[in-house]
C-alpha cells in the first residue's frame, strides 16, 4: 500500500486527491487544522456566490471514496511535524493555500481600522480566526485598496442591503453589523488604469444591479475606446462595464467609486483611521505605475487592503519570502515533499486553476513513489496522534457539523456556520 498525506483540504488539496484516489493500492489522508473541510470554498468565496461554493459537492464525492480520509483539527507544524509526516508517508503534498495577507507597507498601516482582505473576508464568512474582528463600520467612508475580484467582493458585501443577502451563507454577526453600517462611500483604489484591472466581467456586472449602491467611474480615466479592441475578450467585457458605469451614473444612497491611477501613500488619524492620502499615478511604456507628486485625501474610517496573499512558512520547509510561497522545482520541494495550488504558485488564478495543477502534482507523486517504500502511513499517524492525546475530526464528524449548520439556517439560506472551533466540536459531542 502506498500512503500519501495532503496538508490542506481546500480546492488544490481535493483536486490532488481526486487524481491520486484513482490509482491502485493507495491511501490518502487529507489533513486540515480546522475541524471543517473545503478551505477557501467555505471561508474565502463570497457568501452570495453560492454557485461557486457548490463545487464542494465534487470534493465531497472524493472524500467519500474508500481510499481518501479527512483528518480534521490537526495542525501540521504544531500537532505533528513535517519531518514526522515525511517519515510516515511515501509523499506529503502541501496544499495549504495562501491564507495570510500581504502587508500594506505604508505609513499609518498599523492604525486601528486598517484590515487585510483575508481577515475581512474571513470575518463575514465565519472563519474562526477572524470571527471576532469587529471591523469599524461607523464612518461613511471606506477605502478598498486593490483592483482584483477580492476588492469587488469586499465592496459589494459592504454595499448590500440585508435583504440582498437572502440565499447566502453570510454569518449572522456580519449580517447584523452590516445592517447597522454607516458606510455610504466606498473607494476602490487602483494604481494603474481600467485596462490593467484583474476584475472579471461577472463580478463587475454585479455592481450594476445593487439595490442601494451605484458604481462610479470618472470618464477621464478611461482610455480611447478604440484601444479596447486590443484586449482579450474577457477583459474587453470588463472594461465595457466600466464604460457603462461612467456613462450612466445613478444617484443611490451608497456610491462605489473607482479611483484609477491612484496609489495610497499614507494613512492618517488620531488613534484610528480617519483619512487616506492618495497620490495620482501615471504609467510608463512598460505599464508600470509611477507617482506624479499630486495627492488628495479620502475621508475614511476603514481601510481594507486587497493586495494579495501569502502562504505561511512551515519550519523545515524551503520558502520564497519575496513571493510568499514554498520554494519548489515545479512542485517538488524536497524528497517526498511537494507543493500544489497557491502554496506552489503563489496566489494566482481561479478556483478552477487548481484542478490541472492538482492533476499534474498527483501524477508527479505517483511517478516518483513507484510502488511505495513500505511506510506505515495512516496507522502510524493515528498512533502518533493518540500518543499526544489528539483526536482528529473525521468526515463523518464533519457531516454532523454540516447538518447542525443547515438546521440552524435562516429561511432561504443554506446554512448558519459555526464560527468557533469550540462550537464545531460541541456539535459532535466533544
Amino acid at each position: 500500500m502506498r500512503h500519501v498525506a495532503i496538508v490542506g483540504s481546500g480546492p488544490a488539496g481535493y483536486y490532488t486527491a481526486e487524481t491520486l484516489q484513482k490509482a491502485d493500492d493507495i491511501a490518502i489522508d487529507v489533513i486540515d487544522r480546522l475541524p471543517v473541510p473545503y478551505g477557501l470554498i467555505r471561508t474565502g468565496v463570497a457568501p452570495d456566490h453560492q454557485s461557486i461554493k457548490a463545487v464542494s459537492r465534487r470534493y465531497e464525492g472524493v472524500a467519500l471514496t474508500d481510499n481518501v480520509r479527512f483528518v480534521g483539527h490537526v495542525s501540521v507544524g504544531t500537532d505533528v511535524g513535517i519531518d514526522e509526516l515525511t517519515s510516515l508517508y511515501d509523499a506529503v503534498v502541501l496544499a495549504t493555500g495562501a491564507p495570510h495577507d500581504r502587508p500594506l507597507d505604508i505609513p499609518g498601516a498599523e492604525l486601528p481600522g486598517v484590515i487585510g482582505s483575508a481577515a475581512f473576508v474571513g470575518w463575514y464568512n465565519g472563519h474562526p480566526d477572524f470571527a471576532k474582528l469587529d471591523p469599524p463600520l461607523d464612518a461613511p467612508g471606506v477605502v478598498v485598496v486593490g483592483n482584483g475580484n477580492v476588492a469587488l467582493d469586499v465592496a459589494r458585501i459592504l454595499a448590500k442591503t440585508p435583504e440582498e443577502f437572502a440565499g447566502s451563507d453570510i454569518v449572522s454577526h456580519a449580517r447584523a453589523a452590516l445592517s447597522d453600517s454607516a458606510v455610504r462611500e466606498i473607494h476602490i483604489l487602483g494604481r494603474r488604469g481600467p485596462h490593467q484591472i484583474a476584475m472579471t466581467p461577472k463580478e463587475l456586472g454585479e455592481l450594476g444591479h445593487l439595490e442601494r449602491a451605484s458604481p462610479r467611474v470618472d470618464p477621464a480615466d478611461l482610455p480611447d475606446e478604440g484601444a479596447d479592441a486590443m484586449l482579450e475578450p474577457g477583459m474587453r467585457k470588463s472594461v465595457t462595464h466600466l464604460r457603462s458605469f461612467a456613462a450612466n451614473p445613478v444617484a443611490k444612497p451608497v456610491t462605489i467609486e473607482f479611483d484609477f491611477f491612484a496609489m495610497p501613500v499614507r494613512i492618517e488619524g488620531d488613534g484610528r483611521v480617519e483619512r487616506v492620502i492618495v497620490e495620482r499615478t501615471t504609467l510608463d511604456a512598460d505599464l508600470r505605475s509611477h507617482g506624479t507628486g499630486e495627492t488628495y485625501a479620502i475621508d475614511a474610517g476603514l481601510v481594507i487592503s486587497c493586495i494579495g496573499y501569502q502562504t505561511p512558512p512551515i519550519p523545515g520547509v524551503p520558502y520564497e519570502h519575496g513571493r510568499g510561497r514554498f520554494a519548489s522545482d515545479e512542485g517538488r520541494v524536497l524528497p517526498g515533499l511537494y507543493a500544489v495550488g497557491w502554496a506552489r504558485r503563489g496566489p494566482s488564478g481561479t478556483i478552477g486553476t487548481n484542478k490541472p495543477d492538482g492533476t499534474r502534482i498527483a501524477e508527479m507523486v505517483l511517478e516518483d513513489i513507484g510502488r511505495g517504500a513500505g511506510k506505515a502511513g495512516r496507522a502510524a499517524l493515528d498512533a502518533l496522534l493518540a500518543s499526544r492525546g489528539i483526536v482528529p475530526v473525521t468526515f463523518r464528524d464533519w457531516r454532523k457539523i454540516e447538518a447542525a449548520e443547515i438546521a440552524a439556517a435562516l429561511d432561504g439560506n443554506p446554512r448558519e456556520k459555526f464560527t468557533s472551533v469550540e462550537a464545531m466540536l460541541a456539535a459532535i459531542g466533544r
Side-chain angles (χ1 to χ4, degrees):
M1 177 69 73
R2 297 174 288 178
H3 294 275
V4 178
I6 298 172
V7 182
S9 67
Y14 270 116
Y15 283 129
T16 305
E18 185 176 53
T19 296
L20 287 172
Q21 59 93 18
K22 295 171 186 172
D24 296 326
D25 200 32
I26 195 164
I28 303 134
D29 283 349
V30 180
I31 304 170
D32 202 290
R33 72 180 180 92
L34 291 178
V36 294
Y38 308 143
L40 192 69
I41 297 298
R42 180 178 169 93
T43 57
V45 172
D48 55 351
H49 283 175
Q50 289 297 308
S51 60
I52 298 175
K53 288 178 179 272
V55 74
S56 64
R57 294 301 168 211
R58 177 173 184 158
Y59 308 151
E60 181 179 61
V62 176
L64 292 172
T65 53
D66 292 340
N67 53 354
V68 177
R69 183 177 72 152
F70 176 65
V71 185
H73 199 218
V74 173
S75 180
V76 173
T78 305
D79 295 331
V80 59
I82 283 288
D83 56 338
E84 291 176 314
L85 288 179
T86 53
S87 72
L88 301 179
Y89 290 84
D90 294 296
V92 176
V93 182
L94 300 173
T96 52
H100 289 191
D101 284 298
R102 275 181 54 202
L104 183 63
D105 192 17
I106 60 174
E110 74 290 344
L111 281 170
V114 180
I115 297 172
S117 57
F120 188 73
V121 171
W123 170 73
Y124 64 61
N125 264 324
H127 193 297
D129 289 354
F130 305 113
K132 292 183 169 62
L133 185 68
D134 194 22
L137 301 171
D138 57 343
V142 174
V143 168
V144 179
V145 183
N147 260 191
N149 279 346
V150 175
L152 292 181
D153 284 346
V154 165
R156 188 181 68 256
I157 295 298
L158 283 167
K160 279 195 164 186
T161 64
E163 293 74 23
E164 286 176 288
F165 288 117
S168 80
D169 64 351
I170 190 167
V171 291
S172 57
H173 66 239
R175 190 188 307 111
L178 290 164
S179 68
D180 292 334
S181 167
V183 172
R184 294 297 177 265
E185 193 170 291
I186 303 162
H187 288 261
I188 301 177
L189 301 190
R191 62 172 60 209
R192 298 195 294 169
H195 277 193
Q196 287 79 45
I197 58 172
M199 299 168 169
T200 48
K202 178 182 179 294
E203 280 68 22
L204 266 172
E206 286 178 283
L207 294 191
H209 301 285
L210 297 173
E211 286 183 20
R212 65 167 185 166
S214 171
R216 304 286 183 89
V217 173
D218 185 346
D221 286 339
L222 291 163
D224 180 75
E225 195 163 354
D228 293 359
M230 302 297 291
L231 301 173
E232 59 90 13
M235 175 66 92
R236 199 179 312 134
K237 288 180 184 175
S238 293
V239 174
T240 298
H241 282 304
L242 295 177
R243 292 193 184 279
S244 174
F245 300 158
N248 304 292
V250 180
K252 289 187 178 181
V254 177
T255 58
I256 301 172
E257 193 82 42
F258 285 83
D259 288 48
F260 291 112
F261 306 106
M263 173 175 63
V265 292
R266 189 168 68 255
I267 300 170
E268 297 178 345
D270 183 10
R272 61 166 284 180
V273 173
E274 293 177 357
R275 74 193 66 84
V276 179
I277 307 303
V278 179
E279 183 175 7
R280 296 193 184 277
T281 64
T282 187
L283 302 186
D284 63 20
D286 295 320
L287 301 180
R288 290 178 300 211
S289 62
H290 301 274
T292 64
E294 180 187 352
T295 62
Y296 63 98
I298 301 174
D299 291 335
L302 172 62
V303 175
I304 302 171
S305 173
C306 308
I307 59 171
Y309 302 118
Q310 53 193 15
T311 298
I314 295 177
V317 180
Y319 188 80
E320 293 184 46
H321 286 276
R323 297 189 175 186
R325 66 187 188 188
F326 296 119
S328 75
D329 178 11
E330 297 299 315
R332 292 181 176 93
V333 179
L334 292 170
L337 184 63
Y338 304 79
V340 69
W342 283 9
R344 180 186 78 80
R345 305 190 313 273
S348 63
T350 63
I351 300 294
T353 311
N354 292 295
K355 185 178 187 302
D357 202 29
T359 298
R360 198 173 64 81
I361 297 302
E363 290 170 348
M364 182 185 294
V365 166
L366 293 171
E367 180 183 336
D368 288 354
I369 67 176
R371 299 313 304 166
K375 294 189 176 184
R378 61 175 54 167
L381 177 67
D382 290 350
L384 180 64
L385 294 176
S387 74
R388 294 172 181 172
I390 297 164
V391 181
V393 171
T394 66
F395 201 79
R396 182 176 294 175
D397 292 331
W398 149 243
R399 296 185 91 179
K400 292 178 184 174
I401 295 170
E402 183 180 39
E405 291 183 337
I406 292 169
L410 294 175
D411 286 348
N413 289 0
R415 66 190 64 79
E416 181 60 54
K417 284 185 274 193
F418 293 117
T419 60
S420 72
V421 169
E422 293 74 18
M424 294 170 186
L425 295 178
I428 54 174
R430 291 197 196 166

